[in-house]
Amino acid sequence: MTRNDGRQPQQIRSFSVTLHPNKYAEGSVLIEAGETKVLITATVEERVPPFLKGQGKGWITAEYAMLPRATHSRNQRESAKGKLTGRTMEIQRLIGRALRSVVNLNALGERTITLDCDVLQADGGTRTTSITGAFIALALAVHKLDGTVKFDRYPITDYLGSISVGVIQNQPVVDLNYEEDSKAKVDMNVVMTGSGAFVEVQGTGEEAPFTRSELDGMLQLAEEAIIQLVAMQKEALGTAGVRIGGIGV
Amino acid sequence: MTRNDGRQPQQIRSFSVTLHPNKYAEGSVLIEAGETKVLITATVEERVPPFLKGQGKGWITAEYAMLPRATHSRNQRESAKGKLTGRTMEIQRLIGRALRSVVNLNALGERTITLDCDVLQADGGTRTTSITGAFIALALAVHKLDGTVKFDRYPITDYLGSISVGVIQNQPVVDLNYEEDSKAKVDMNVVMTGSGAFVEVQGTGEEAPFTRSELDGMLQLAEEAIIQLVAMQKEALGTAGVRIGGIGV
Amino acid sequence: MTRNDGRQPQQIRSFSVTLHPNKYAEGSVLIEAGETKVLITATVEERVPPFLKGQGKGWITAEYAMLPRATHSRNQRESAKGKLTGRTMEIQRLIGRALRSVVNLNALGERTITLDCDVLQADGGTRTTSITGAFIALALAVHKLDGTVKFDRYPITDYLGSISVGVIQNQPVVDLNYEEDSKAKVDMNVVMTGSGAFVEVQGTGEEAPFTRSELDGMLQLAEEAIIQLVAMQKEALGTAGVRIGGIGV
Amino acid sequence: MTRNDGRQPQQIRSFSVTLHPNKYAEGSVLIEAGETKVLITATVEERVPPFLKGQGKGWITAEYAMLPRATHSRNQRESAKGKLTGRTMEIQRLIGRALRSVVNLNALGERTITLDCDVLQADGGTRTTSITGAFIALALAVHKLDGTVKFDRYPITDYLGSISVGVIQNQPVVDLNYEEDSKAKVDMNVVMTGSGAFVEVQGTGEEAPFTRSELDGMLQLAEEAIIQLVAMQKEALGTAGVRIGGIGV
Amino acid sequence: MTRNDGRQPQQIRSFSVTLHPNKYAEGSVLIEAGETKVLITATVEERVPPFLKGQGKGWITAEYAMLPRATHSRNQRESAKGKLTGRTMEIQRLIGRALRSVVNLNALGERTITLDCDVLQADGGTRTTSITGAFIALALAVHKLDGTVKFDRYPITDYLGSISVGVIQNQPVVDLNYEEDSKAKVDMNVVMTGSGAFVEVQGTGEEAPFTRSELDGMLQLAEEAIIQLVAMQKEALGTAGVRIGGIGV
Amino acid sequence: MTRNDGRQPQQIRSFSVTLHPNKYAEGSVLIEAGETKVLITATVEERVPPFLKGQGKGWITAEYAMLPRATHSRNQRESAKGKLTGRTMEIQRLIGRALRSVVNLNALGERTITLDCDVLQADGGTRTTSITGAFIALALAVHKLDGTVKFDRYPITDYLGSISVGVIQNQPVVDLNYEEDSKAKVDMNVVMTGSGAFVEVQGTGEEAPFTRSELDGMLQLAEEAIIQLVAMQKEALGTAGVRIGGIGV
């Protein structure tokens, strides 16, 4: 099988990370995966949602949106429609949940960090790229916060990366672009920690069900890809003097 | 490990199915999984959504809601809030997508079948129980429709069942009730066809990431449970004279 | 005149009451009037709406909804529309107002009881059946509450029943089903206490105005019917050990 | 019993009617009942709602609103809230329904007349005053329309008036002002045709139930009052050359 | 150039002011500019918006709406649409901002005055007429408030008037009516204080851009007109015993 | 007076323009004015809004939004609020109106061009910078369209630039940044064509009214600045081979 952009099945696209594209946010990153571009800011606020008040715990939440012309044809703004689509809600719930899995909310204390993931241009993999990039923005914000708060326990417990996998012509492939995504019979998003544990596994075979062996093949590709993404995170954060965790992380 | 209701890890709750609880709907079922009770109706309409018009294809969609006091404390109605929550949208998108995987939309022709899944009482597993029950209501409606339309190709291609699995005290368990759900470190929903292929795999380790071995253990339990649920569907539908597919289905 | 289901003009449909269909609610009932089926839960909460705060008084409120396929054809969910229809608002205001007429809100103390009336299947008379059933759910909840609170004065002061009446072919008839409702020239709903006083009289002659004599005929039928419904309430509540009021009630 | 403004129990307030306060509308009236002032316009449009398309029938509908400071304290605008209250919906449904009872929609043809009832100042009885005034605006609009359309059958079949009645200190009284309304134990609105038939009877005993004899007393007062209001309508419309119906109307 | 109603380019329409049309509001006025009629009430409330709490400052805000049939054809109510149009928001922000420019919010103390401007009939110039009239209603309310509060510094610092100007057939004209407005190539609204300083200058040349000399011509006409409007305000307020400011105002 | 960033009163910030930042849009530009950054896309669609159907005319419209963390503190998304703020509506109406003033809508034909202006980072002047940048994106899109449509008359008739001016310490200054904007007593936005005519003049003296002489001073600065911005547009568009109009434009 030849992929439409000449990649090998197990080959991810070219990823790039630009730190601090926003001068106001506590943490920010522009992450690019091929032609997919997501601008992410992390905002720290000294308050928590009502359901957490007075418990000494913090909160991590995410919002996700696409600019109207991030895609081939223009989409109506959700602000003009007056409500979020189910797809948007699903994605931002996923991003927030994934990030919380590597944050010790008690260690964070009564503050909220909001990750705004705005897709400037979309070419497949926007939700997984948002997670991988949002982790970097979060790490920058927590690092900055640590400068003043001096955390007893460091709130971030591990790295976190995410990638999409799928099956095209019976062949598992990784990091699908938009055109590939449209013809894949299975679509799966995987989130893993730097330590190699699963945080989210979401596979959908709407076009055609998939076998256990296809599932195993996709998980294998996802694992290898996320190892590369975590290495990229370490390098990018390293240039900003940020290092997560202790031995083995 | 002892489960809070005395079940074995691999043991599903007592399921029961009541056919035709609604006198107007083209198909309807009341499905009970332990104390979880979902009333499901299938409505056939001779029209399709705008994006499908004129293509000769049909559509399957689902809506999901909980009565305000389906749970321990009362929830505000979404109609009173003026919008659906992200959770509701996520669930009804999942139900529709899962059902479409076993329907040949071309064979169905330009008509829409809407599955309304209303949870009368919730004790865990409402989304998976909705899928298992909605398949029955759908099969009843298509069977009835076949009486007048006389389909060339039968639109339903396979049975479809769904169950939840999780990890409690490092032990994979199946079909969690509400109390178990609250203390599980992983929460996974699996949808499979009668032929044993995966349609949806959605695992979330918000509380704690999970290993590949835990994932494998959960998938094994899910597979065994769904075989039992499909057998139950065959029996229930059989009493109504409905039989899906040919040899081996 | 022969009615479409063979009843006499003054004859109500077969009513049945199932207590405690919901295991979480403080009070619950499934009430059936012919093919009309309403599931009702009473929820007790230890708070009152803002306009009552600090006055030592309680509040009774109601919400009403129909499942999408409760009727011949499917109705769009109000949660999907994003707002309640005028009909729904009118009905739930009526139910709440009617119930409050037999509750001493000062005796109840600063708590709210919400009656959720969800119509599973509709064949005419859903609002009046909701009132008759909601009274039972309310009585169960107050009885349960009395076990812990030990009210000084019992908050419920009388029984409360409701029925619809109309004029078909110049003949007053009681408890109209859907088909009768569609052809009646007058549509009236009456709510009365166990003591025989009127709480609500709502008659509408949109199709054709009605005379004083027709009004009197309808009121007469309503009164006789409500006496039967209150007897049914006493019997049903009696099996649960609930008895309202003192001598003569 | 002495009423707070010195009136007899059976005495309505001073009513006044100003025709054509609006230069654009097909019909318009400013109606005052004591300190209650309602500005009403009738708009004729050559189209009908979707559910009536192609049936050759017309439609009459009404909208009702209060200016924010029509009352003692300011109310938030419903446009700012983003939705209509239940009270507003109930009232505008009532007004539309009442007017349709005296209009032959087939005779009207495929057009819609919308009655906008905007309360400039409220001192009790705004819904009944709106109905009485809206009838006049409707009659003016139909009269004007008749000049060009030359109706075969005149679409308006009778006059229509409305008044409120209640019980204060066990005494039925008519046309309650705001202060009386607040202390009345029963609140009833009655709509009648010029021929003396009932169109709407809506009585509510939220504070205390009412007896059959009180009901009869209120209906009697309402009937006498509406006769006076219809006479006022005839006189006001007469000055504009408008006369409804034939012999005896 | 001859104007469609015979006026000179520099001639404003006939203005009239009726004080106290509303018996509840702290200040109220009915202002008419030709056929444009706006009913304005000022409501005083002893609270401020959240962003001002605890600062000892007051707030002035405005709301603007048109009755549905204020214009040639009926407009849908914004309450029925569920949201305000951009035009309404723009106008009410303008009115509030303009009035605040002549109010010392510190002197006012922690209270809010809301100006409700409801257009009963529209024939051009509704936003400028609202500002001119709202100043009068505001002045009446502050005067009344001063009777009980006894302000140290009087909160109103100057008179405030507003007018529209435009260019028709290359000729600057003042106070355009609806028909003129439709054919003007430039549309400008000016707000000035009694002392002759500018508060708002909003000119729009959507149909055709305008020159500096046309701009100067329009500003000249606006200034002359506002001097007349302020004189009218002084006279009207004088009859109610209200006088703003000291020497030279 | 010294400005906070060392500029002269008549000196605009450093502007930069990046063409084609988006690979899907028919025209796109990233415009930076100091630290203010706006990403703008032009989308061409072969349809017009309902009010223009069948007239052979086109339409230009604009939408404006700020990313949540474009400013010092995070703003809630308008999509999450469910509605646009008045400020957003005002700005996007302004942008659309301004652009239409230099487009011959008849020459454009029945198509709509939507300019999406998304503020990535805000440091004052976002609305004027949006207009200046949107003109470039529009010109790119029309140029591209001309390649296939071959317009008889070129739809764009002139260049269009916009800048803010204000008064700080009695000194008119141009192109205010956020900090200057906060302390300016007057805030004015000016839009002019390449030929030097005014399209919009919007001045607001909420903090303090302004004199005619201050107004003249601000208009002078705006004119000089816009000449520079138009020169910048010509240069940027020139590199893409786009040239508007004939001699003298």
Side-chain angles (χ1 to χ4, degrees), chain B residues 24 26 69 74 77 116 122, chain C residues 24 26 69 74 116 122:
Chain B
Y24 302 120
E26 283 71 34
R69 196 57 196 277
R74 186 176 185 273
R77 284 173 198 268
D116 283 294
Chain C
Y24 301 121
E26 283 71 35
R69 196 58 195 278
R74 186 177 184 273
D116 283 293

Side-chain angles (χ1 to χ4, degrees), chain F residues 48-58 105-106 109-110:
Chain F
V48 288
F51 70 91
L52 278 182
K53 258 185 196 147
Q55 301 183 28
K57 291 176 61 173
L105 296 174
N106 289 304
E110 288 219 1

Side-chain angles (χ1 to χ4, degrees), chain B residues 32-65:
Chain B
E32 302 176 58
E35 291 288 340
T36 290
K37 301 176 187 183
V38 188
L39 180 58
I40 302 167
T41 56
T43 296
V44 179
E45 289 166 306
E46 296 292 320
R47 54 183 180 72
V48 287
F51 71 91
L52 278 183
K53 258 184 198 149
Q55 300 183 29
K57 291 176 61 174
W59 191 241
I60 306 293
T61 187
E63 297 198 2
Y64 167 97

Side-chain angles (χ1 to χ4, degrees), chain A residues 23-24 30 44 56 89 91 128 143 156-157 160 163 173 203 239 248:
Chain A
K23 74 167 184 167
Y24 302 121
L30 173 67
V44 179
M89 285 204 185
I91 293 175
T128 52
H143 178 72
I156 299 185
T157 59
L160 185 86
I163 202 76
V173 293
T239 67

Side-chain angles (χ1 to χ4, degrees), chain A residues 30 83 243:
Chain A
L30 173 67
K83 59 178 176 182
R243 194 160 172 284

Side-chain angles (χ1 to χ4, degrees), chain B residues 84-146:
Chain B
L84 300 177
T85 62
R87 178 184 177 276
T88 292
M89 286 205 184
E90 214 168 289
I91 293 175
Q92 58 194 26
R93 282 159 56 91
L94 168 65
I95 301 171
R97 210 162 58 218
L99 293 172
R100 287 192 296 273
S101 75
V102 291
V103 175
N104 182 331
L105 298 174
N106 289 304
L108 183 59
E110 287 219 2
R111 46 182 66 90
T112 297
I113 304 181
T114 302
L115 282 304
D116 283 294
C117 305
D118 285 90
V119 179
L120 304 186
Q121 193 168 279
D123 189 23
T126 62
R127 80 185 71 185
T128 52
T129 304
S130 292
I131 291 170
T132 301
F135 176 79
I136 300 174
L138 172 66
L140 290 171
V142 169
H143 178 71
K144 185 176 178 193
L145 197 57
D146 189 41

Side-chain angles (χ1 to χ4, degrees), chain D residues 22-26 35 39 41 43 63 65 67-72 74 77 79 82 84 114 116 118 121-122, chain E residues 22-26 35 39 41 43 63 65 67-72 74 77 79 82 84 114 116 118 121-122:
Chain D
N22 178 297
K23 74 167 184 167
Y24 302 119
E26 283 71 35
E35 290 288 340
L39 180 58
T41 56
T43 295
E63 297 198 1
L67 294 196
R69 196 58 197 276
T71 49
H72 286 81
R74 186 178 184 272
R77 284 174 196 269
S79 57
L84 301 176
T114 303
D116 283 293
D118 285 272
Q121 194 169 276
Chain E
N22 178 297
K23 75 167 184 167
Y24 302 119
E26 283 71 35
E35 290 288 339
L39 179 58
T41 55
T43 296
E63 297 198 0
L67 294 195
R69 196 57 196 276
T71 50
H72 285 81
R74 185 177 185 274
R77 283 174 197 269
S79 57
L84 300 177
T114 302
D116 283 294
D118 285 273
Q121 193 168 276

